[in-house]
Amino acid sequence: MAFPTPAQLTDILQPVVTPRGLDIEDVKTTRAGKKSQVIIRVDGDERPSSDLIEELSQEISALFDAKEDAGELNFGAGYTLEVSTPGVDFPLTAARHWRRNRGRLVGFALADVPDTTHVARIGALSEDEKSVALVTTVKKEVHYQIERLENLTRAVVEIEFAQPSAQELEATKQTFDFAEQNSATRED
């Protein structure tokens, strides 16, 4: 049996992760000397606790060991396993990433202006989860901008050291329809 691909491992892991309300965000494998490395990033609408991550890690390790013993997986001479949540530098590429980070500051580029980085606070997603309300404050005035997720690139949560204004945080709690009715349109 060949060394497993991330896609094969994702298929194997899905039945373990999904019942816990988690999504597999990333699987990386590295063939290395005596021990290969398997890194698995999971997340959920409710951030998994360290106890849940530990429990999941033990269950995945037992599953991988059983599959190796049965000849269904082959990590070579052995493997090290790392199970964790994505870090703040993990790119926002799916609607669930935007939903889970509502209220947080995000840096992003627009597909039609890829060389410019914009910063806004994440508001509500549209009902079909194809658009997001982005909130900015200029001269103490809140502005809403609606963008299709497919037009947002290089999106990453920004680390904040200062507390955002209560007005801006409150604006992120508004419904998508409210934000859309009060948004500035971008010239295309």
Side-chain angles (χ1 to χ4, degrees):
M1 162 137 288
F3 192 80
T5 66
Q8 290 169 324
L9 292 177
T10 298
D11 290 343
I12 291 168
L13 294 168
Q14 214 63 45
V16 175
V17 172
T18 304
R20 290 179 164 92
L22 299 174
D23 296 301
I24 299 169
E25 296 297 350
D26 190 37
V27 175
K28 288 185 180 165
T29 58
T30 306
R31 293 183 90 157
K34 291 183 179 182
K35 290 203 179 225
S36 299
Q37 186 177 32
V38 181
I39 301 171
I40 301 164
R41 305 277 185 250
V42 297
D43 205 358
D45 285 347
E46 288 196 27
R47 202 67 152 178
S49 68
S50 56
D51 289 340
L52 179 57
I53 294 292
E54 178 63 28
E55 177 186 310
L56 191 59
S57 181
Q58 290 174 2
E59 188 172 340
I60 290 170
S61 182
L63 175 67
F64 284 176
D65 292 348
K67 290 204 173 277
E68 273 197 308
D69 291 345
E72 298 173 29
L73 280 179
N74 180 5
F75 291 108
Y79 68 93
T80 58
L81 175 65
E82 177 186 326
V83 179
S84 64
T85 57
V88 292
D89 60 344
F90 191 78
L92 307 182
T93 57
R96 68 180 178 269
H97 302 151
W98 292 88
R99 183 180 65 250
R100 291 174 182 163
N101 285 288
R102 186 173 181 175
R104 296 187 77 183
L105 205 58
V106 63
F108 60 93
L110 298 168
D112 59 350
V113 191
D115 296 332
T116 304
T117 299
H118 303 271
V119 178
R121 197 162 297 284
I122 302 171
L125 283 173
S126 61
E127 193 172 308
D128 64 3
E129 294 197 330
K130 292 186 178 189
S131 298
V132 64
L134 298 170
V135 178
T136 56
T137 302
V138 179
K139 296 182 182 177
K140 298 185 180 183
E141 188 177 316
V142 170
H143 296 271
Y144 295 95
Q145 178 180 334
I146 305 299
E147 288 292 342
R148 296 203 39 90
L149 294 180
E150 65 191 23
N151 294 333
L152 300 170
T153 63
R154 298 188 341 255
V156 178
V157 170
E158 297 280 320
I159 296 173
E160 293 184 78
F161 296 102
Q163 182 70 21
S165 74
Q167 180 186 18
E168 192 169 277
L169 283 178
E170 190 60 36
T172 66
K173 296 176 184 175
Q174 296 298 327
T175 65
F176 181 84
D177 290 338
F178 178 90
E180 189 173 42
Q181 290 169 0
N182 292 283
S183 69
T185 57
R186 192 166 60 97
E187 292 181 20
D188 294 319

